Each structure stands twice: as structure tokens, then as C-alpha cells.
């Protein structure tokens, strides 16, 4: 499910679940184990996560969702990387979709080939990007871009993703070599400063106006299937609302506050 190798004091964790490196229980376990191994090894200074078969990752294994994925759930990998002092880079080729993009967003940095496409297609599948997509994407790309990506499921080309802040660097050539070179240049950086979870969300305008505008757009797009989409979106909005950060400061009469409070009963 995963190749673990060491190159020049860098651990290279290569997803190997053909044909498109989906994240089932076994793959998640092997990534979790690989990251733990790299973290514990004092000779390792940094980590590259990449994928075999010309693709980073097509997301969670949809076939396993019905039976329930087993621990470690993808989110545990994010929690682990958030606390790592060694820098971790996602070296992306092909696609990073759904849980695949969420895995990349766990990493401190993301580099990609120009041909890469990234997306969060969960809403189109009746799921929500619950493995950190709603938390980390707005922190990387800003609130408006994140809303757009989450609600449309559009595949974003690498250069556009770089302009949004999702990708740190577009590279050419061998993605693993580039990943190693990139992450070695980050070994002296305090990883807490680049951990997406720690960042605040950038947005311009009024949060309620932004939320309402997207809600209106989604309601009209998903004609006849409003209820599930709205309930998922409500949850997304609450998280994007920076529930933990801003709820206290919201006016008690604001629709955002009322919605957030109501859903937390
Ligand atoms: C709380 C739960 C959270 C979930 C988050 C998620 O990650 S949901 C999943 C989000 N990902 C997707 O929706 C991606 C779906 N896949 C694709 O769009 C395409 O497969 C691809 C990655 C663009 C590759 O396209 P290509 O044409 O090269 O290959 P195929 O489409 O023919 O796929 C090859 C086989 O792989 C199977 N497969 C693809 N993605 C998944 C997946 N996420 N889970 C399970 N299986 C997947 C596909 O069914 C093919 O299988 P065959 O048996 O060969 O038919």
C-alpha cells in the first residue's frame, strides 16, 4: 500500500494502491505508520509524501465507505502531521481529489507538476469534505475560493491552485526529486508557522453575506435535492464560520450565530 524509502535524510512515503492510490483502511494504516516511523527516526530530517502510478491520490476508497473505514481514520494522519516538527511536503502529480487533496492539505507544503488537477468532489457524492477539507482549504485558499471549490467540485488546474495558495510551488521534472529538494530547504523552519490548521481564514466582506450568497447558488444548482445539500452546507458554513474563532464575537442577532447555535444543540 505504501513504499517507504530514505534518500539523503528525507523519508519518501510513496502511496502504492493501484490504479489510483485510493485511501482504504490498509493504505491509511500504512501512511500513518510511515509518518510515525519517519518522525521517530532521528536520522530523518524531513518527509515527502507522493504517489505511484503517475497520480497522487484519488481520495478515500468509495467502496469501503459502506462498510466503514477502520482506524486510523484519515483525520488522525492530519492531527499527527500538525504536531510534527519535521517538515512534510506533498509532491503531487496527476490528481489530488477528495481525501487525496485533504491528505495534501495536512502537509506543511504542497508542490505539483503543471498538469495536476485538485478538487473536493464530496458534495457531488452526497458526502462532505470531513477529513479537514472544510478546515484547511479556506486557510490555504481564502474563504471565497474554498466555498467555490467545495460547492462546485470543480477540478482546479495546478497553476490556478498555486495562485489561490493551495500549491506552494509548480515544478517540472521528477516530482520526487523536486519534493526532496524542496523539503530539504525547509528543514530549519518552525513547522507550526506553516501548519494550515493554525492559520486564520482570509475573507473580504461580510461573512453572513458570503454564506448566504453561496447558499443561494447551491440551492439553485441542486434543484430538487435541496435538503441533503443544505444540511451538509450548513455544517460546512459553521466550520467556515470559524466557529471556534469568531462565534464569540458575532452579534447575537446575526443569522450566522443563530444557525451555528441551532446546529450545535
Ligand atoms: C467521509 C468520507 C470522505 C470521502 C472523501 C473522498 O475522498 S470521496 C472520493 C473522492 N474521489 C473521487 O471522486 C475520485 C473518483 N475518481 C476519478 O475521478 C477517476 O477515477 C480518476 C482518479 C480521475 C482517474 O480516472 P481514470 O479514467 O484514469 O480511471 P478510472 O476512473 O477508470 O478509475 C480506475 C479504477 O479506480 C477506481 N476508483 C477511482 N476512484 C476511486 C475511489 N475514490 N474509490 C474507489 N475506487 C476508485 C475506479 O472505479 C476504477 O475501478 P475499476 O475496477 O477499474 O473500474
Amino acid at each position: 500500500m505504501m513504499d517507504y524509502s530514505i534518500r539523503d535524510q528525507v523519508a519518501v512515503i510513496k502511496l502504492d494502491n493501484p490504479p489510483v492510490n485510493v485511501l482504504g483502511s490498509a493504505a491509511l494504516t500504512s501512511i500513518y505508520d510511515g509518518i510515525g516511523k519517519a518522525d521517530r527516526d532521528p536520522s530523518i530530517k524531513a518527509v515527502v509524501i507522493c504517489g505511484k502510478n503517475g497520480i497522487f491520490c484519488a481520495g478515500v476508497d468509495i467502496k469501503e465507505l459502506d462498510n466503514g473505514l477502520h482506524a486510523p481514520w484519515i483525520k488522525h494522519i492530519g492531527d499527527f502531521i500538525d504536531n510534527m516538527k519535521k517538515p512534510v511536503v506533498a509532491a503531487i502529480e496527476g490528481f489530488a481529489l477528495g481525501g487525496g487533496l485533504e491528505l495534501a492539505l495536512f502537509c506543511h507544503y504542497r508542490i505539483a507538476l503543471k498538469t495536476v488537477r485538485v478538487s473536493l468532489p464530496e458534495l457531488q457524492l452526497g458526502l462532505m469534505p470531513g477529513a479537514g477539507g472544510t478546515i484547511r482549504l479556506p486557510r490555504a485558499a481564502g474563504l471565497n475560493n474554498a466555498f467555490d471549490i467545495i460547492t462546485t467540485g470543480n477540478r482546479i488546474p495546478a497553476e490556478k491552485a498555486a495562485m489561490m495558495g493551495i500549491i506552494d510551488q509548480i515544478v517540472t521534472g521528477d516530482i520526487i526529486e523536486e519534493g526532496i529538494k524542496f523539503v530539504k530547504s525547509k528543514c530549519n523552519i518552525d513547522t507550526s508557522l506553516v501548519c494550515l490548521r493554525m492559520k486564520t481564514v482570509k475573507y473580504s466582506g461580510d461573512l453572513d453575506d458570503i454564506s448566504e450568497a453561496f447558499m443561494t447558488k447551491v440551492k439553485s444548482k441542486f434543484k430538487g435535492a435541496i435538503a441533503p445539500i443544505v444540511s451538509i452546507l450548513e455544517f460546512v458554513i459553521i466550520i467556515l464560520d470559524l466557529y471556534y474563532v469568531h462565534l464569540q464575537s458575532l452579534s447575537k442577532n446575526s443569522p450566522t450565530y443563530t444557525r451555528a447555535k441551532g446546529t450545535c444543540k
Side-chain angles (χ1 to χ4, degrees), residues 38-262:
D39 195 45
R40 286 189 302 274
D41 184 341
S43 73
I44 299 294
K45 303 291 176 227
V47 181
V48 173
I49 301 181
C50 54
K52 254 190 177 172
N53 320 307
I55 177 167
F56 182 72
C57 175
V60 166
D61 187 342
I62 294 166
K63 295 179 196 111
E64 272 197 48
L65 280 178
D66 283 347
N67 304 326
L69 283 166
H70 301 296
W73 173 233
I74 181 169
K75 198 180 152 303
H76 297 159
I77 298 172
D79 292 344
F80 192 90
I81 296 176
D82 281 347
N83 291 305
M84 276 178 74
K85 299 214 169 1
K86 302 175 184 182
V88 182
V89 65
I92 308 170
E93 57 184 336
F95 292 98
L97 308 178
L101 177 55
E102 292 178 302
L103 173 63
L105 290 167
F106 294 156
C107 300
H108 302 114
Y109 301 98
R110 288 149 295 283
I111 65 164
L113 298 182
K114 203 173 163 181
T115 47
V116 157
R117 297 281 184 279
V118 303
S119 80
L120 289 180
E122 281 90 336
L123 245 63
Q124 325 297 311
L125 301 169
L127 302 166
M128 66 168 291
T134 53
I135 306 275
R136 290 178 177 83
L137 188 63
R139 284 166 172 76
L143 189 59
N144 289 62
N145 287 331
F147 254 134
D148 208 40
I149 292 170
I150 290 170
T151 55
T152 64
N154 286 346
R155 288 182 179 170
I156 311 296
E159 283 179 332
K160 192 170 173 193
M163 281 193 292
M164 290 177 173
I166 301 169
I167 305 288
D168 295 291
Q169 193 172 303
I170 305 285
V171 296
T172 51
D174 185 284
I175 193 70
I176 298 176
E177 296 302 330
E178 293 300 323
I180 293 169
K181 195 163 69 181
F182 181 94
V183 83
K184 281 185 73 179
S185 73
K186 305 294 181 189
C187 284
N188 294 324
I189 285 175
D190 176 354
T191 52
S192 69
L193 300 176
V194 287
C195 171
L196 282 176
R197 199 152 184 11
M198 308 289 178
K199 297 198 171 179
T200 52
V201 180
K202 291 196 196 86
Y203 63 93
S204 54
D206 180 79
L207 205 48
D208 287 329
D209 291 346
I210 299 169
S211 307
E212 294 303 328
F214 271 97
M215 189 67 95
T216 305
K217 207 166 134 185
V218 167
K219 278 179 181 167
S220 89
K221 184 180 170 197
F222 290 91
K223 292 184 191 82
I226 289 171
I229 296 303
V230 169
S231 61
I232 291 168
L233 250 185
E234 288 281 30
F235 191 51
V236 171
I237 286 167
I238 289 157
I239 296 168
L240 293 179
D241 261 349
L242 325 178
Y243 182 70
Y244 304 108
V245 185
H246 285 307
L247 188 56
Q248 303 306 323
S249 63
L250 287 173
S251 149
K252 294 268 187 298
N253 297 323
S254 102
T256 305
Y257 181 89
T258 311
R259 198 164 45 227
K261 285 280 283 180

